[in-house]
Amino acid sequence: MSAYKNYLIVWATLLVLTAITVGVSLLNLGLWNAGVALGIASVKAALVALYFMHLRHEIKLVLGFALFPLLILALIIIGTLTDTLYR
Amino acid sequence: MASKHKAHKGAPVSARLGIWAFLATELLLFGGLFTVYAVFRLSYPDLFHVQHLKLNRIMGALNTVLLLTSSLSMAIGIAAIRQGRQRILKIALAVTLALAAGFLCIKYFEWSEDFGHGLYPASNLFFGLYFMMTGLHGLHVLFGMLVMVWLLLRAQRGEFSADYNTPVEITGLYWHFVDLVWIYLFPLLYLIG
Amino acid sequence: MPDLSALNGGEASLASHDVDAVFIIPAIPSSLGNFFIPLLIGARDVAFPRLNLFSYWIFLAGIAVTLFSLLQPIDTGWTFYTPYSAQSSAAVTTLCLGLFLVGMSSILTGLNFIVTIHTMRAPGMNWYRMPLFIWAMYATSVIQVLSTPVIGITFILLAAERLFGVGFFDPAKGGDPLLFQHFFWFYSHPVVYVMILPAMGIISEVAPVFSRKPIFGYRAIAYSALAIAFIGFLVWGHHMFVSGMSTVAGVIFSFLTFFVAVPTGIKIFNWIATLYRGSITLDSPMLYALTFIFLFIIGGLTGLFLGSLATDVHVHDTYFLVAHFHYTMMGGTVMGLFAGLHYWYPKVTGRMLNENWAKNAWWLIVTGFNVTFFPMFILGMQGMPRRYAEYPAKYQPLNVVATVGSWFLAVGILIMFANFIRSLRNGAPAPANPWRGLTLEWSIPSPPETENFTEIPTVTDWPYSYGKKTRHDRGK
Ligand SMILES: [Cu+2]
């Protein structure tokens, strides 16, 4: 039963965060709008990954499988931007 | 780790490694689109700002809620079948399917509204991205639904139990990933475009 | 200006050659891995046999669609650079679909190999007791899994550009054609390592067996395979030095490109150290392995010329690049593959090759190869551009030399394959372990039974304890 309860708490938190990010987007914070929105999205993503996707209890190997691709994703974005931003 | 000797109750390691490696490929598939987004968003901030206001935030937020909830029901289904509760699994799968269908419905209305306003993939770079991103994501939702129908049929035949539920868990991981992508698409397109 | 329209046919067939070569060749590691990964790690099959079959069918479908789209000559070159590929009347969209399917298949195969290597190793075979070929295949599979999706989305976007008029790559709509090149090379650079790494793995197996010496620097060779795979993701921009990419990016990518030479050099030094004072027998697999080392040193070092920003501007898109590419890909990948074919032929077919004919073919291939491709370095330095069917008369003599060399090369390859076919029936029956190798595939009959191992072996040592009376236990 406690598993269900945990999931419900995570779900409620996710909904609250969604409400917050929509709310913040109505304010004009300039550059910070993007930062806050992406920050909140990352918190939500982490919650889903850790709880719903069980990464919290996973073995290190699977954790590596989950995290390493993020590095490669960062590489393609950063590498491409070094070109387009400085052209 | 303290839980090292506690056997993992879910799918075997090979299946988990397999699905996570598959999700890695999915991440990089969407990664191409995220890169395009980063490049154009930084090159044309004004275009993105003006165009993103044409999207319907309420609909987007509603869809976020639907997908998050479908992730919840999926997670509950997996927890249930790990304890051998077949009935809860079936209900959870059905709920997940319904929420996914709801998501696609709303998406359909949004797209028709955009088309009605003369907004097409070719209209400008922002809408090109919007349609490509939500389109590719929508296809993933659709594929997930097909798999869940298959799971539901197998669950109906009583094939899953506390001992054997690998397909459910694997599909669950895929489904949460689809949710994860949307968690980023929503702010990128609707809120800070 | 010569009449270029008359040459279009030639350029189109060149493009088809490249499309085949670059997108189909990854199938070679797939088939190699399917057979040899389970054998070398002591498993009966890969981790997901049904997925494997599925991936095979997608591959066939992808090839069928690709070949169908090539019925109409493709005029975009194998790189499909936008914006032209978005407008070309050739069947680019169909080609995108076909190659997308091929890519999907290689993703699934790579995924399968990774999980197989993680979970299916025979009891006792820890990571440092794995044959180095397995390390190489692991690195290869990581590249396949992580780089192929990027070309997948690129094909989707190119198709969307053609079908819906999305303008990501179209400067007229504010898009950026170079974005396409970034994506394209993010895949296409690492994919050359998909081709070379398995070959390097084969050399790491063949060199110790035919030197009767333990491999030198096991861990260095193993980790350098992973390093090559990783660095491969950092250097794609070196294909875009003259494309109008920013200078900042050019400098960074050029700098990073030099790092590829480090793990590659580590491997070469370790192979040579393995040969040092070994009791070398020059059987055909070893001949090809030594050829690999020799040619790949040339191919690798000339790569540095191309990787440095300033020299590249001079030799970019000249025959120098063609020569470099063929020294690495043909002198490297193909020679490594030939070494593997000769090494494992008895295991796969249960027959020995005719060693005399194998050696005759080797002489022709090595001579022919060098006579064909070495002059191209000189031609390139003199400024002869690639991909033209006509050129000024001053380039004529060396081109004639190259053409003659290619005949020798072709005859050599023909003889080699004739030997493969003839030995199937006429070769002497192969014993279980003709080369006295220590990897697990040699512990079972040639050819292996359907399930490889009747009893899964227990591994107590690494497979490189050659030339010693007692086996040392290496690797913990
Ligand atoms: Cu390269």
Side-chain angles (χ1 to χ4, degrees):
Chain A
M1 273 303 126
S2 75
Y4 299 155
K5 210 179 95 190
N6 271 345
Y7 287 150
L8 278 171
I9 295 171
V10 172
W11 171 71
T13 318
L14 288 169
L15 292 192
V16 171
L17 286 171
T18 308
I20 293 177
T21 191
V22 173
V24 171
S25 77
L26 299 175
L27 312 171
N28 187 3
L29 305 175
L31 262 182
W32 283 103
N33 271 107
V36 171
L38 286 179
I40 292 181
S42 299
V43 174
K44 287 163 75 179
L47 282 176
V48 171
L50 286 174
Y51 288 88
F52 288 168
M53 299 175 95
H54 310 299
L55 275 189
R56 220 163 46 111
H57 300 297
E58 265 300 356
I59 55 174
K60 278 189 193 140
L61 182 60
V62 176
L63 275 179
F65 271 48
L67 293 178
F68 185 68
L70 293 173
L71 175 66
I72 303 292
L73 175 63
L75 288 179
I76 184 172
I77 295 181
I78 294 169
T80 310
L81 288 181
T82 55
D83 171 22
T84 52
L85 288 187
Y86 295 98
R87 209 181 284 160
Chain B
M1 259 199 276
S3 61
K4 200 179 171 186
H5 295 288
K6 206 171 73 181
H8 190 97
K9 268 190 291 178
V13 178
S14 60
R16 273 144 60 210
L17 290 177
I19 187 68
W20 276 103
F22 177 73
L23 295 184
T25 72
E26 291 280 21
L27 179 79
L28 284 150
L29 187 77
F30 281 100
L33 284 169
F34 287 128
T35 312
V36 177
Y37 181 93
V39 168
F40 290 144
R41 162 77 219 234
L42 292 168
S43 312
Y44 307 107
D46 298 334
L47 172 93
F48 272 55
H49 182 74
V50 173
Q51 296 298 326
H52 99 287
L53 294 174
K54 296 180 184 165
L55 293 178
N56 189 332
R57 265 178 212 200
I58 310 288
M59 299 274 233
L62 190 61
N63 253 348
T64 309
V65 173
L66 286 185
L67 265 200
L68 288 174
T69 313
S70 78
S71 258
L72 170 72
S73 59
M74 192 76 213
I76 287 179
I78 293 166
I81 196 61
R82 277 186 181 180
Q83 298 169 336
R85 299 160 176 239
Q86 301 197 11
R87 219 176 82 85
I88 301 188
L89 170 69
K90 279 183 267 182
I91 297 172
L93 281 175
V95 171
T96 313
L97 256 177
L99 289 165
F103 176 90
L104 283 185
C105 256
I106 292 185
K107 206 74 250 156
Y108 169 78
F109 284 121
E110 279 187 87
W111 276 29
S112 355
E113 204 180 297
D114 297 330
F115 293 150
H117 289 126
L119 294 167
Y120 295 101
S123 298
N124 56 54
L125 289 177
F126 177 81
F127 270 91
L129 262 171
Y130 167 77
F131 281 110
M132 289 307 292
M133 283 175 141
T134 55
L136 188 64
H137 179 260
L139 280 178
H140 278 80
V141 173
L142 197 65
F143 176 73
M145 288 174 67
L146 291 178
V147 179
M148 273 185 266
V149 169
W150 172 70
L151 283 186
L152 206 52
L153 289 175
R154 290 186 66 179
Q156 200 63 39
R157 279 184 258 136
E159 286 183 29
F160 300 122
S161 63
D163 296 324
Y164 175 69
N165 48 47
T166 307
V168 186
E169 177 155 340
I170 298 306
T171 314
L173 284 168
Y174 169 81
W175 189 250
H176 296 310
F177 174 81
V178 173
D179 191 12
L180 276 184
V181 172
W182 182 256
I183 285 178
Y184 280 96
L185 289 189
F186 171 58
L188 286 178
L189 295 171
Y190 290 80
L191 303 183
I192 57 168
Chain C
M1 209 56 183
D3 178 16
L4 282 179
S5 65
L7 304 176
N8 272 345
E11 277 152 30
S13 75
L14 260 181
S16 312
H17 156 82
D18 294 340
V19 168
D20 294 344
V22 173
F23 293 96
I24 313 288
I25 282 181
I28 295 173
S30 301
S31 32
L32 255 160
N34 255 310
F35 196 87
F36 289 107
I37 290 179
L39 271 179
L40 266 72
I41 63 173
R44 295 209 162 96
D45 202 345
V46 288
F48 307 119
R50 272 192 299 172
L51 185 72
N52 208 12
L53 193 65
F54 178 62
S55 124
Y56 177 66
W57 284 112
I58 308 184
F59 176 74
L60 288 189
I63 293 292
V65 176
T66 305
L67 291 180
F68 175 73
S69 75
L70 290 177
L71 287 181
Q72 186 189 355
I74 188 92
D75 60 352
T76 59
W78 74 276
T79 51
F80 317 105
Y81 275 1
T82 51
Y84 181 67
S85 58
Q87 297 150 7
S88 158
S89 59
V92 176
T93 312
T94 323
L95 185 59
C96 282
L97 175 68
L99 294 177
F100 186 87
L101 290 173
V102 174
M104 237 171 107
S105 154
S106 76
I107 286 176
L108 294 178
T109 309
L111 182 158
N112 210 339
F113 289 171
I114 291 178
V115 178
T116 304
I117 295 171
H118 270 290
T119 59
M120 307 278 285
R121 298 190 310 270
M125 183 181 283
N126 59 35
W127 282 82
Y128 297 121
R129 287 177 186 163
M130 283 195 325
L132 285 162
F133 178 73
I134 300 296
W135 280 92
M137 289 305 293
Y138 187 82
T140 306
S141 308
V142 170
I143 296 176
Q144 278 187 315
V145 165
L146 293 177
S147 72
T148 320
V150 174
I151 199 71
I153 190 71
T154 314
F155 286 140
I156 293 177
L157 292 180
L158 180 56
E161 196 110 346
R162 294 173 62 89
L163 296 174
F164 312 123
V166 180
F168 297 158
F169 305 134
D170 183 356
K173 291 178 177 153
D176 182 359
L178 284 197
L179 203 52
F180 179 90
Q181 297 189 20
H182 278 292
F183 287 175
F184 182 83
W185 289 112
F186 186 84
Y187 162 79
S188 295
H189 180 79
V191 88
V192 298
Y193 297 154
V194 165
M195 301 181 216
I196 198 68
L197 279 167
M200 291 173 155
I202 291 171
I203 306 308
S204 306
E205 298 304 328
V206 171
V209 172
F210 293 89
S211 316
R212 311 312 300 165
K213 261 188 70 192
I215 188 92
F216 188 88
Y218 175 93
R219 289 190 189 201
I221 295 180
Y223 284 119
S224 62
L226 300 184
I228 288 176
F230 181 71
I231 298 171
F233 283 106
L234 301 170
V235 301
W236 76 88
H238 64 216
H239 295 268
M240 300 168 61
F241 287 157
V242 298
S243 68
M245 179 175 69
S246 80
T247 319
V248 177
V251 170
I252 294 174
F253 280 122
S254 178
F255 178 73
L256 291 173
T257 297
F258 284 92
F259 283 95
V260 182
V262 177
T264 314
I266 288 176
K267 277 177 182 292
I268 290 188
F269 285 124
N270 281 306
W271 290 325
I272 293 174
T274 305
L275 302 179
Y276 177 66
R277 302 188 75 174
S279 37
I280 294 173
T281 40
L282 290 176
D283 293 311
S284 50
M286 187 60 160
L287 286 177
Y288 281 106
L290 295 175
T291 314
F292 171 99
I293 297 176
F294 173 66
L295 297 181
F296 195 76
I297 289 176
I298 299 177
L301 287 177
T302 51
L304 291 175
F305 294 42
L306 290 155
S308 48
L309 203 42
T311 5
D312 180 66
V313 175
H314 179 65
V315 289
H316 189 93
D317 258 340
T318 66
Y319 263 59
F320 190 86
L321 175 97
V322 178
H324 157 74
F325 183 82
H326 284 91
Y327 264 82
T328 50
M329 283 298 114
M330 192 160 177
T333 303
V334 177
M335 293 304 152
L337 185 73
F338 287 174
L341 286 176
H342 287 81
Y343 179 57
W344 279 317
Y345 185 92
K347 180 54 60 186
V348 179
T349 61
R351 299 279 179 169
M352 297 304 287
L353 281 171
N354 182 321
E355 191 64 21
N356 271 334
W357 278 110
K359 281 180 183 157
N360 291 342
W362 174 80
W363 276 109
L364 285 168
I365 289 174
V366 175
T367 324
F369 176 89
N370 283 295
V371 176
T372 308
F373 292 107
F374 198 83
M376 294 186 186
F377 282 124
I378 303 166
L379 284 170
M381 277 298 186
Q382 290 172 347
M384 178 170 163
R386 62 170 171 159
R387 291 185 182 141
Y388 289 98
E390 225 176 274
Y391 43 78
K394 66 168 174 172
Y395 300 131
Q396 182 69 12
L398 283 177
N399 272 293
V400 172
V401 173
T403 309
V404 173
S406 71
W407 297 338
F408 281 90
L409 182 56
V411 173
I413 291 177
L414 273 180
I415 295 179
M416 188 188 79
F417 278 106
N419 190 17
F420 286 164
I421 294 165
R422 194 178 157 277
S423 299
L424 271 184
R425 292 168 109 240
N426 299 353
N433 191 357
W435 315 121
R436 294 181 297 146
L438 294 178
T439 35
L440 288 174
E441 78 273 29
W442 304 115
S443 67
I444 54 170
S446 313
E449 283 146 28
T450 349
E451 295 240 284
N452 293 350
F453 299 90
T454 33
E455 198 178 331
I456 295 288
T458 302
V459 177
T460 54
D461 192 6
W462 75 340
Y464 300 109
S465 305
Y466 294 107
K468 289 180 182 168
K469 288 231 171 76
T470 50
R471 285 179 159 207
H472 262 292
D473 190 294
R474 293 292 290 265
K476 290 243 166 71

Short mmCIF file of all heavy atoms in Angstrom, two decimals, chain C residues 396-436:
data_model
loop_
_atom_site.label_atom_id
_atom_site.label_comp_id
_atom_site.label_asym_id
_atom_site.label_seq_id
_atom_site.Cartn_x
_atom_site.Cartn_y
_atom_site.Cartn_z
N GLN C 396 47.42 13.10 -65.29
CA GLN C 396 47.18 11.85 -66.00
C GLN C 396 48.11 10.70 -65.57
O GLN C 396 47.62 9.62 -65.24
CB GLN C 396 47.27 12.09 -67.51
CG GLN C 396 47.00 10.88 -68.38
CD GLN C 396 45.52 10.45 -68.32
OE1 GLN C 396 44.69 11.18 -67.81
NE2 GLN C 396 45.24 9.26 -68.81
N PRO C 397 49.46 10.90 -65.57
CA PRO C 397 50.34 9.75 -65.30
C PRO C 397 50.00 9.02 -64.00
O PRO C 397 49.85 7.79 -64.00
CB PRO C 397 51.73 10.39 -65.22
CG PRO C 397 51.62 11.65 -65.97
CD PRO C 397 50.22 12.13 -65.82
N LEU C 398 49.85 9.76 -62.92
CA LEU C 398 49.59 9.09 -61.64
C LEU C 398 48.22 8.41 -61.62
O LEU C 398 48.04 7.37 -60.98
CB LEU C 398 49.71 10.08 -60.49
CG LEU C 398 51.15 10.43 -60.10
CD1 LEU C 398 51.18 11.48 -59.01
CD2 LEU C 398 51.90 9.19 -59.65
N ASN C 399 47.27 9.01 -62.35
CA ASN C 399 45.96 8.35 -62.43
C ASN C 399 46.07 7.02 -63.15
O ASN C 399 45.38 6.05 -62.80
CB ASN C 399 44.95 9.25 -63.14
CG ASN C 399 44.25 10.18 -62.15
OD1 ASN C 399 43.49 9.72 -61.32
ND2 ASN C 399 44.53 11.47 -62.24
N VAL C 400 46.94 6.97 -64.18
CA VAL C 400 47.14 5.70 -64.90
C VAL C 400 47.73 4.67 -63.94
O VAL C 400 47.27 3.52 -63.88
CB VAL C 400 48.05 5.92 -66.12
CG1 VAL C 400 48.42 4.58 -66.75
CG2 VAL C 400 47.36 6.81 -67.14
N VAL C 401 48.74 5.09 -63.17
CA VAL C 401 49.35 4.18 -62.20
C VAL C 401 48.27 3.62 -61.26
O VAL C 401 48.17 2.41 -61.03
CB VAL C 401 50.45 4.91 -61.39
CG1 VAL C 401 50.95 4.01 -60.26
CG2 VAL C 401 51.58 5.32 -62.30
N ALA C 402 47.43 4.53 -60.76
CA ALA C 402 46.39 4.10 -59.82
C ALA C 402 45.45 3.10 -60.48
O ALA C 402 45.04 2.11 -59.86
CB ALA C 402 45.62 5.31 -59.31
N THR C 403 45.10 3.37 -61.73
CA THR C 403 44.17 2.47 -62.41
C THR C 403 44.78 1.07 -62.55
O THR C 403 44.10 0.07 -62.29
CB THR C 403 43.82 3.03 -63.80
OG1 THR C 403 43.40 4.38 -63.63
CG2 THR C 403 42.71 2.23 -64.44
N VAL C 404 46.06 1.03 -62.94
CA VAL C 404 46.71 -0.27 -63.08
C VAL C 404 46.73 -0.99 -61.73
O VAL C 404 46.43 -2.19 -61.63
CB VAL C 404 48.14 -0.09 -63.62
CG1 VAL C 404 48.89 -1.43 -63.59
CG2 VAL C 404 48.10 0.47 -65.04
N GLY C 405 47.03 -0.23 -60.66
CA GLY C 405 47.03 -0.83 -59.33
C GLY C 405 45.68 -1.44 -59.00
O GLY C 405 45.60 -2.53 -58.43
N SER C 406 44.62 -0.73 -59.39
CA SER C 406 43.29 -1.23 -59.04
C SER C 406 43.00 -2.56 -59.72
O SER C 406 42.25 -3.38 -59.19
CB SER C 406 42.22 -0.19 -59.39
OG SER C 406 42.08 -0.11 -60.79
N TRP C 407 43.62 -2.81 -60.88
CA TRP C 407 43.41 -4.13 -61.51
C TRP C 407 44.01 -5.23 -60.66
O TRP C 407 43.38 -6.27 -60.43
CB TRP C 407 44.05 -4.15 -62.92
CG TRP C 407 43.43 -3.18 -63.88
CD1 TRP C 407 42.20 -2.62 -63.80
CD2 TRP C 407 44.04 -2.64 -65.06
NE1 TRP C 407 41.98 -1.78 -64.84
CE2 TRP C 407 43.10 -1.76 -65.64
CE3 TRP C 407 45.28 -2.81 -65.69
CZ2 TRP C 407 43.36 -1.05 -66.81
CZ3 TRP C 407 45.53 -2.11 -66.85
CH2 TRP C 407 44.58 -1.23 -67.41
N PHE C 408 45.25 -4.98 -60.19
CA PHE C 408 45.89 -5.98 -59.32
C PHE C 408 45.02 -6.25 -58.08
O PHE C 408 44.80 -7.39 -57.69
CB PHE C 408 47.27 -5.49 -58.87
CG PHE C 408 48.33 -5.65 -59.91
CD1 PHE C 408 48.58 -4.64 -60.84
CD2 PHE C 408 49.07 -6.82 -59.99
CE1 PHE C 408 49.54 -4.79 -61.81
CE2 PHE C 408 50.04 -6.98 -60.96
CZ PHE C 408 50.28 -5.96 -61.88
N LEU C 409 44.56 -5.15 -57.52
CA LEU C 409 43.74 -5.26 -56.32
C LEU C 409 42.50 -6.11 -56.60
O LEU C 409 42.17 -7.04 -55.85
CB LEU C 409 43.33 -3.85 -55.87
CG LEU C 409 42.50 -3.70 -54.61
CD1 LEU C 409 43.20 -4.35 -53.44
CD2 LEU C 409 42.26 -2.23 -54.32
N ALA C 410 41.85 -5.82 -57.74
CA ALA C 410 40.62 -6.54 -58.07
C ALA C 410 40.90 -8.03 -58.27
O ALA C 410 40.17 -8.88 -57.75
CB ALA C 410 39.98 -5.93 -59.32
N VAL C 411 41.98 -8.34 -59.01
CA VAL C 411 42.30 -9.74 -59.25
C VAL C 411 42.59 -10.45 -57.93
O VAL C 411 42.12 -11.57 -57.67
CB VAL C 411 43.50 -9.86 -60.22
CG1 VAL C 411 43.94 -11.31 -60.33
CG2 VAL C 411 43.12 -9.32 -61.59
N GLY C 412 43.35 -9.76 -57.05
CA GLY C 412 43.67 -10.36 -55.76
C GLY C 412 42.40 -10.69 -54.97
O GLY C 412 42.27 -11.78 -54.41
N ILE C 413 41.46 -9.74 -54.96
CA ILE C 413 40.23 -9.98 -54.18
C ILE C 413 39.43 -11.12 -54.80
O ILE C 413 38.89 -11.97 -54.10
CB ILE C 413 39.41 -8.67 -54.10
CG1 ILE C 413 40.16 -7.67 -53.21
CG2 ILE C 413 38.03 -8.94 -53.51
CD1 ILE C 413 39.51 -6.32 -53.10
N LEU C 414 39.42 -11.16 -56.14
CA LEU C 414 38.73 -12.26 -56.82
C LEU C 414 39.32 -13.61 -56.42
O LEU C 414 38.59 -14.55 -56.10
CB LEU C 414 38.83 -12.09 -58.33
CG LEU C 414 37.74 -11.22 -58.99
CD1 LEU C 414 37.97 -11.13 -60.48
CD2 LEU C 414 36.36 -11.80 -58.67
N ILE C 415 40.64 -13.68 -56.44
CA ILE C 415 41.30 -14.95 -56.09
C ILE C 415 40.95 -15.32 -54.65
O ILE C 415 40.65 -16.48 -54.33
CB ILE C 415 42.83 -14.84 -56.26
CG1 ILE C 415 43.16 -14.64 -57.73
CG2 ILE C 415 43.53 -16.07 -55.70
CD1 ILE C 415 44.64 -14.49 -58.01
N MET C 416 40.96 -14.31 -53.78
CA MET C 416 40.65 -14.58 -52.38
C MET C 416 39.26 -15.20 -52.24
O MET C 416 39.08 -16.22 -51.57
CB MET C 416 40.74 -13.30 -51.57
CG MET C 416 40.62 -13.50 -50.08
SD MET C 416 40.49 -11.94 -49.22
CE MET C 416 38.79 -11.58 -49.50
N PHE C 417 38.28 -14.59 -52.91
CA PHE C 417 36.92 -15.12 -52.79
C PHE C 417 36.78 -16.48 -53.47
O PHE C 417 36.06 -17.36 -52.98
CB PHE C 417 35.90 -14.12 -53.33
CG PHE C 417 35.55 -13.06 -52.33
CD1 PHE C 417 36.03 -11.76 -52.46
CD2 PHE C 417 34.79 -13.37 -51.22
CE1 PHE C 417 35.75 -10.79 -51.51
CE2 PHE C 417 34.49 -12.40 -50.27
CZ PHE C 417 34.97 -11.11 -50.41
N ALA C 418 37.50 -16.64 -54.60
CA ALA C 418 37.48 -17.94 -55.25
C ALA C 418 38.00 -19.01 -54.29
O ALA C 418 37.43 -20.10 -54.18
CB ALA C 418 38.33 -17.90 -56.52
N ASN C 419 39.03 -18.64 -53.55
CA ASN C 419 39.59 -19.57 -52.56
C ASN C 419 38.56 -19.89 -51.48
O ASN C 419 38.40 -21.04 -51.08
CB ASN C 419 40.85 -18.94 -51.95
CG ASN C 419 41.62 -19.91 -51.09
OD1 ASN C 419 41.43 -21.12 -51.19
ND2 ASN C 419 42.49 -19.38 -50.24
N PHE C 420 37.83 -18.84 -51.03
CA PHE C 420 36.78 -19.08 -50.03
C PHE C 420 35.77 -20.10 -50.55
O PHE C 420 35.37 -21.02 -49.85
CB PHE C 420 36.03 -17.78 -49.70
CG PHE C 420 36.82 -16.83 -48.86
CD1 PHE C 420 36.43 -15.50 -48.76
CD2 PHE C 420 37.92 -17.25 -48.15
CE1 PHE C 420 37.15 -14.61 -47.98
CE2 PHE C 420 38.65 -16.37 -47.37
CZ PHE C 420 38.26 -15.04 -47.29
N ILE C 421 35.36 -19.89 -51.81
CA ILE C 421 34.29 -20.74 -52.34
C ILE C 421 34.81 -22.16 -52.59
O ILE C 421 34.18 -23.15 -52.22
CB ILE C 421 33.73 -20.12 -53.64
CG1 ILE C 421 33.03 -18.80 -53.30
CG2 ILE C 421 32.77 -21.08 -54.32
CD1 ILE C 421 32.75 -17.93 -54.50
N ARG C 422 36.02 -22.23 -53.17
CA ARG C 422 36.57 -23.54 -53.52
C ARG C 422 36.84 -24.37 -52.25
O ARG C 422 36.57 -25.56 -52.20
CB ARG C 422 37.86 -23.33 -54.31
CG ARG C 422 38.34 -24.58 -55.01
CD ARG C 422 39.59 -24.32 -55.81
NE ARG C 422 40.30 -25.58 -56.01
CZ ARG C 422 41.12 -26.12 -55.13
NH1 ARG C 422 41.34 -25.51 -53.98
NH2 ARG C 422 41.71 -27.27 -55.37
N SER C 423 37.34 -23.71 -51.21
CA SER C 423 37.70 -24.44 -50.00
C SER C 423 36.47 -24.97 -49.27
O SER C 423 36.58 -25.88 -48.45
CB SER C 423 38.50 -23.55 -49.06
OG SER C 423 39.69 -23.14 -49.69
N LEU C 424 35.31 -24.39 -49.56
CA LEU C 424 34.09 -24.89 -48.92
C LEU C 424 33.93 -26.38 -49.19
O LEU C 424 33.49 -27.13 -48.33
CB LEU C 424 32.86 -24.15 -49.48
CG LEU C 424 32.43 -22.86 -48.80
CD1 LEU C 424 31.15 -22.36 -49.44
CD2 LEU C 424 32.24 -23.06 -47.31
N ARG C 425 34.26 -26.79 -50.44
CA ARG C 425 34.11 -28.21 -50.79
C ARG C 425 35.45 -28.93 -50.72
O ARG C 425 35.52 -30.06 -50.25
CB ARG C 425 33.53 -28.33 -52.21
CG ARG C 425 32.10 -27.85 -52.29
CD ARG C 425 31.66 -27.70 -53.75
NE ARG C 425 30.71 -28.73 -54.10
CZ ARG C 425 30.91 -29.61 -55.06
NH1 ARG C 425 32.05 -29.61 -55.73
NH2 ARG C 425 29.99 -30.50 -55.35
N ASN C 426 36.51 -28.26 -51.19
CA ASN C 426 37.77 -28.98 -51.35
C ASN C 426 38.75 -28.81 -50.19
O ASN C 426 39.78 -29.47 -50.18
CB ASN C 426 38.47 -28.54 -52.64
CG ASN C 426 37.62 -28.83 -53.86
OD1 ASN C 426 36.57 -29.47 -53.73
ND2 ASN C 426 38.03 -28.36 -55.01
N GLY C 427 38.44 -27.91 -49.28
CA GLY C 427 39.38 -27.67 -48.19
C GLY C 427 39.49 -28.89 -47.27
O GLY C 427 38.55 -29.68 -47.15
N ALA C 428 40.65 -29.03 -46.64
CA ALA C 428 40.80 -30.12 -45.67
C ALA C 428 39.88 -29.85 -44.49
O ALA C 428 39.67 -28.69 -44.12
CB ALA C 428 42.25 -30.18 -45.22
N PRO C 429 39.31 -30.89 -43.91
CA PRO C 429 38.46 -30.68 -42.73
C PRO C 429 39.23 -29.96 -41.63
O PRO C 429 40.40 -30.28 -41.38
CB PRO C 429 38.09 -32.10 -42.29
CG PRO C 429 38.31 -32.95 -43.49
CD PRO C 429 39.40 -32.30 -44.29
N ALA C 430 38.58 -28.97 -41.00
CA ALA C 430 39.29 -28.17 -40.01
C ALA C 430 39.20 -28.83 -38.64
O ALA C 430 38.13 -29.26 -38.23
CB ALA C 430 38.69 -26.77 -39.95
N PRO C 431 40.32 -28.90 -37.92
CA PRO C 431 40.25 -29.35 -36.54
C PRO C 431 39.57 -28.29 -35.68
O PRO C 431 39.29 -27.19 -36.16
CB PRO C 431 41.72 -29.52 -36.15
CG PRO C 431 42.46 -28.62 -37.06
CD PRO C 431 41.67 -28.55 -38.34
N ALA C 432 39.32 -28.60 -34.42
CA ALA C 432 38.65 -27.63 -33.55
C ALA C 432 39.50 -26.39 -33.37
O ALA C 432 38.99 -25.27 -33.32
CB ALA C 432 38.35 -28.27 -32.20
N ASN C 433 40.82 -26.57 -33.34
CA ASN C 433 41.66 -25.43 -32.99
C ASN C 433 42.91 -25.37 -33.87
O ASN C 433 44.02 -25.62 -33.41
CB ASN C 433 42.06 -25.54 -31.51
CG ASN C 433 42.70 -24.26 -31.00
OD1 ASN C 433 42.91 -23.31 -31.78
ND2 ASN C 433 43.04 -24.24 -29.73
N PRO C 434 42.73 -25.00 -35.15
CA PRO C 434 43.88 -25.04 -36.06
C PRO C 434 44.99 -24.07 -35.69
O PRO C 434 46.15 -24.32 -35.99
CB PRO C 434 43.26 -24.68 -37.41
CG PRO C 434 41.99 -23.96 -37.09
CD PRO C 434 41.51 -24.53 -35.80
N TRP C 435 44.67 -22.94 -35.08
CA TRP C 435 45.69 -21.92 -34.80
C TRP C 435 46.20 -22.01 -33.36
O TRP C 435 46.92 -21.14 -32.93
CB TRP C 435 45.15 -20.51 -35.07
CG TRP C 435 44.40 -20.32 -36.33
CD1 TRP C 435 43.10 -19.89 -36.45
CD2 TRP C 435 44.85 -20.51 -37.68
NE1 TRP C 435 42.72 -19.82 -37.76
CE2 TRP C 435 43.78 -20.19 -38.54
CE3 TRP C 435 46.06 -20.93 -38.24
CZ2 TRP C 435 43.88 -20.28 -39.93
CZ3 TRP C 435 46.15 -21.02 -39.62
CH2 TRP C 435 45.08 -20.69 -40.44
N ARG C 436 45.78 -22.98 -32.62
CA ARG C 436 46.13 -23.10 -31.20
C ARG C 436 45.77 -21.82 -30.43
O ARG C 436 46.58 -21.26 -29.70
CB ARG C 436 47.62 -23.42 -31.03
CG ARG C 436 47.97 -24.81 -31.59
CD ARG C 436 49.43 -25.12 -31.41
NE ARG C 436 50.26 -24.18 -32.16
CZ ARG C 436 51.45 -23.75 -31.76
NH1 ARG C 436 51.93 -24.15 -30.61
NH2 ARG C 436 52.15 -22.92 -32.51
#
